[in-house]
Amino acid sequence: MEQDYIKLIFGLKLKQIRSERGLSLFGLSKLSGMSKSYLNEIEKGKKYPKPDKIVLLSEHLDIPYDDMVSLKLDKNLAPIGEILQSKLLKEIPLELFGIQESTMIDIISNAPVKVTAFISTIIEIARNYNFSKESFYLASVRSFQEANNNYFDDLEQAVIKFAKTYQINLNEKISTQELEDVLTEEYGYTINNDELGAHIELENLRSIFVPKTKTLLITKSIDDSQRAFIYAKELAYNYLNINERLYTFSWIKFENFDEVLNNFYASYFAGALTIPRQSFVNDVKNLFEQKQFNTKDFNAILFKYNGSPESIYQRLTNILPKDFNLNNLFFLRFSHRKDSNLFYLNKELHLAKQQTPRANENNEHYCRRWMSLKVLEEVSKNDSEHAFDIQISNYPEENTQYLVFASATKDPFRSDRFRSIAIGIKLNTQLRRKVNFLDHKSLKRIDVGVTCERCSIQNCDVRQVPSTILASKAKEAKTAEVVEEITKRYG
């Protein structure tokens, strides 16, 4: 264990034992002959006493020496011990959020019981929802994105410098072959297009990188934009000098937080390279200036760049906050199997914490009026390559509206599977300043809920189940109202 953690655990134990004995720091100081300030430093985890001092504390507190120096904590403090011994504070780069590790340790040492209760609650929630270490890491990265409005100027500038270094024209569609040439000639890569296809067990993987020989294995089933993205990620790892990285795409498992964070950095770089910011911003401005939304214009943007529709939508979450000052937005990715009634929300980003919709872990039914689900149903029913739609989604319960764009495509790696991506931008004064087609009569305005179980929309023709949770809350409210009336009558 880190020495700081060992000192902290000893300090927590000493403070707990002293409190159980009904002693103040002043009292323990008189009893042991050690200064009050020195004991305070020990309890805060800043100092670790020498063996002779521990013997004195052991004798005066009537605690065996071995128990004093043991790293085991009783049940009230055990969760803190688990956190410290797991080195969780080391694995998560707290500095990304402006938090120093010493600050966290101070918080823990100053209110151990309260912090323990909080940590226990988090652990219990994680267990109940089968929240894995990987899920925790991904949630941490998502929070990091949200804290920065999902825009990282250092990576944007790195792309510009990279393009200048290798004479890549960011005003033209990025060539996949050009990216491959940089990988092979500048970084010594060997591209293998045959090996992955020989193993049925690897059918869900797009690529594997073998660092020893710098061999990049790529499946043949991907299209040109997906290949360009893989090449761009590999270029990011090399150009940004990233060593702690993942070697498969999609990922199989994460060993530590740095791998997750660096995977995000490489993906961001790849998106910024294949969909250059300045050109993309100009295209979106032109789209927003139209007095009537034209699907053909939006599709033209989707297929102008050497990027998948998902990459285009992801890129919107970078440039809308930065270049249009539209910070209240969400991004969703759903998956769906043909002839199934189930929809899975497997990726989300919310730049304003209060936004809906969000993932729901209670097996409730997502609102079928969402644009995300409607385009999924359309593309799976017609077995088409791409489905797109737009609407203003009105949430009556929350009195909020979002301009929502959504696209659905086939899953290139699994037959009879489809996925949708959507971006929703809160309808407010800022959006009205930027977008001219919001009031056009052709733009649909649809009342939506979050889940059927919580929805108050009457006579909904796509409702899957009754609004049971809403009905239960209404019943509870009525009960409380009657109780209050009776109390007043007899009070």
Side-chain angles (χ1 to χ4, degrees), residues 181-323:
D181 289 344
V182 178
L183 272 179
T184 56
E185 295 180 23
E186 290 294 308
Y187 294 108
Y189 272 51
T190 298
I191 310 298
N192 184 317
N193 297 299
D194 301 313
E195 184 65 30
L196 287 188
H199 305 274
I200 192 171
E201 299 87 356
L202 305 180
E203 60 182 354
N204 291 329
L205 291 184
R206 305 181 198 184
S207 67
I208 300 175
F209 177 63
V210 184
K212 187 175 182 180
T213 58
K214 289 192 173 183
T215 301
L216 183 62
L217 312 174
I218 299 187
T219 180
K220 289 181 178 179
S221 63
I222 58 176
D223 60 25
D224 191 63
S225 64
Q226 291 163 341
R227 182 177 288 267
F229 185 79
I230 292 171
Y231 285 165
K233 278 190 72 174
E234 290 299 323
L235 288 168
Y237 283 131
N238 286 274
Y239 187 73
L240 300 175
N241 296 313
I242 295 174
N243 297 316
E244 198 82 29
R245 56 160 294 179
L246 301 172
Y247 295 107
T248 63
F249 182 53
S250 301
W251 61 272
I252 299 174
K253 66 176 181 177
F254 297 126
E255 296 295 337
N256 56 60
F257 183 81
D258 283 343
E259 290 180 348
V260 187
L261 185 63
N262 290 334
N263 179 66
F264 164 69
Y265 285 151
S267 296
Y268 189 105
F269 183 99
L273 178 60
T274 54
I275 309 166
R277 176 185 168 200
Q278 197 54 59
S279 174
F280 190 49
V281 167
N282 290 336
D283 289 339
V284 175
K285 280 183 178 177
N286 291 334
L287 179 74
F288 284 177
E289 286 172 358
Q290 304 303 313
K291 294 193 178 297
Q292 180 178 354
F293 179 81
N294 190 320
T295 301
K296 288 184 179 179
D297 292 340
F298 187 80
N299 284 335
I301 296 175
L302 279 185
F303 300 105
K304 173 181 178 179
Y305 300 91
N306 199 356
S308 66
E310 180 171 347
S311 294
I312 297 291
Y313 279 76
Q314 289 271 20
R315 196 71 175 117
L316 280 170
T317 68
N318 304 142
I319 63 110
L320 289 179
K322 176 64 178 179
D323 296 288

Side-chain angles (χ1 to χ4, degrees), residues 273-439:
L273 178 60
T274 54
I275 309 166
R277 176 185 168 200
Q278 197 54 59
S279 174
F280 190 49
V281 167
N282 290 336
D283 289 339
V284 175
K285 280 183 178 177
N286 291 334
L287 179 74
F288 284 177
E289 286 172 358
Q290 304 303 313
K291 294 193 178 297
Q292 180 178 354
F293 179 81
N294 190 320
T295 301
K296 288 184 179 179
D297 292 340
F298 187 80
N299 284 335
I301 296 175
L302 279 185
F303 300 105
K304 173 181 178 179
Y305 300 91
N306 199 356
S308 66
E310 180 171 347
S311 294
I312 297 291
Y313 279 76
Q314 289 271 20
R315 196 71 175 117
L316 280 170
T317 68
N318 304 142
I319 63 110
L320 289 179
K322 176 64 178 179
D323 296 288
F324 294 84
N325 198 27
L326 298 172
N327 300 317
N328 295 294
L329 60 84
F330 62 77
F331 169 91
L332 305 175
R333 184 180 71 195
F334 275 90
S335 62
H336 173 62
R337 190 175 69 248
K338 190 178 180 67
D339 300 325
S340 168
N341 197 37
L342 300 176
F343 297 87
Y344 300 96
L345 178 52
N346 44 40
K347 192 169 187 179
E348 58 183 321
L349 181 72
H350 303 267
L351 297 192
K353 296 291 185 181
Q354 72 273 18
Q355 287 167 336
T356 54
R358 288 180 176 271
N360 188 290
E361 302 293 341
N362 295 320
N363 297 319
E364 295 176 30
H365 296 74
Y366 293 114
C367 179
R368 295 308 196 261
R369 295 180 174 214
W370 287 356
M371 206 75 269
S372 299
L373 305 193
K374 288 197 281 190
V375 292
L376 264 179
E377 289 181 323
E378 180 184 341
V379 77
S380 61
K381 181 179 179 181
N382 299 325
D383 204 31
S384 54
E385 293 296 325
H386 178 248
F388 168 80
D389 210 343
I390 181 175
Q391 72 181 32
I392 291 180
S393 293
N394 176 47
Y395 290 81
E397 297 287 332
E398 303 172 14
N399 194 29
T400 55
Q401 295 179 314
Y402 291 90
L403 174 65
V404 181
F405 303 84
S407 291
T409 60
K410 289 182 176 180
D411 189 323
F413 305 103
R414 294 180 291 183
S415 60
D416 295 330
R417 295 290 182 94
F418 304 86
R419 56 190 180 186
S420 72
I421 53 270
I423 187 167
I425 314 165
K426 190 173 183 178
L427 204 160
N428 53 23
T429 305
Q430 184 64 16
L431 186 65
R432 289 193 176 280
R433 288 198 192 104
K434 302 293 182 180
V435 180
N436 287 335
F437 56 75
L438 286 176
D439 294 320

Side-chain angles (χ1 to χ4, degrees), residues 439-486:
D439 294 320
H440 196 275
K441 61 183 180 181
S442 64
L443 190 57
K444 295 172 292 187
R445 286 164 171 77
I446 309 292
D447 285 346
V448 300
V450 178
T451 65
C452 291
E453 288 84 348
R454 301 171 188 270
C455 182
S456 62
I457 298 174
Q458 301 296 318
N459 303 317
C460 178
D461 58 349
V462 290
R463 179 180 289 282
Q464 303 297 300
V465 295
S467 54
T468 52
I469 294 177
L470 207 63
S472 177
K473 287 184 177 180
K475 184 178 179 180
E476 290 173 3
K478 186 62 178 176
T479 301
E481 183 182 333
V482 173
V483 169
E484 186 176 355
E485 288 177 2
I486 293 174

Side-chain angles (χ1 to χ4, degrees), residues 36-154:
K36 179 182 171 183
S37 60
Y38 177 62
L39 290 170
N40 188 41
E41 293 282 283
I42 293 173
E43 288 191 357
K44 286 186 174 181
K46 295 180 179 179
K47 290 186 177 179
Y48 192 89
K50 293 180 179 179
D52 61 323
K53 302 292 186 184
I54 298 175
V55 170
L56 276 175
L57 290 170
S58 171
E59 290 175 354
H60 291 295
L61 292 171
D62 194 25
I63 293 289
Y65 181 94
D66 290 344
D67 289 353
M68 288 286 293
V69 299
S70 170
L71 297 178
K72 291 182 179 180
L73 294 165
D74 70 13
K75 64 179 181 180
N76 291 326
L77 297 176
I80 289 181
E82 290 176 16
I83 292 292
L84 296 177
Q85 294 190 55
S86 69
K87 298 186 179 180
L88 185 62
L89 297 181
K90 289 292 183 187
E91 292 183 8
I92 298 177
L94 297 168
E95 66 275 5
L96 288 179
F97 303 96
I99 301 170
Q100 297 297 321
E101 186 183 351
S102 58
T103 303
M104 289 294 293
I105 290 175
D106 281 344
I107 292 171
I108 292 172
S109 61
N110 287 331
V113 176
K114 292 179 181 178
V115 174
T116 298
F118 174 74
I119 293 172
S120 297
T121 301
I122 298 298
I123 292 172
E124 192 64 26
I125 291 172
R127 285 172 180 164
N128 288 341
Y129 286 95
N130 195 25
F131 200 62
S132 64
K133 181 176 73 173
E134 288 82 6
S135 298
F136 180 79
Y137 286 159
L138 291 169
S140 299
V141 169
R142 189 165 63 245
S143 295
F144 177 51
Q145 291 175 256
E146 293 168 356
N148 290 276
N149 282 330
N150 204 30
Y151 179 82
F152 297 87
D153 195 61
D154 54 340

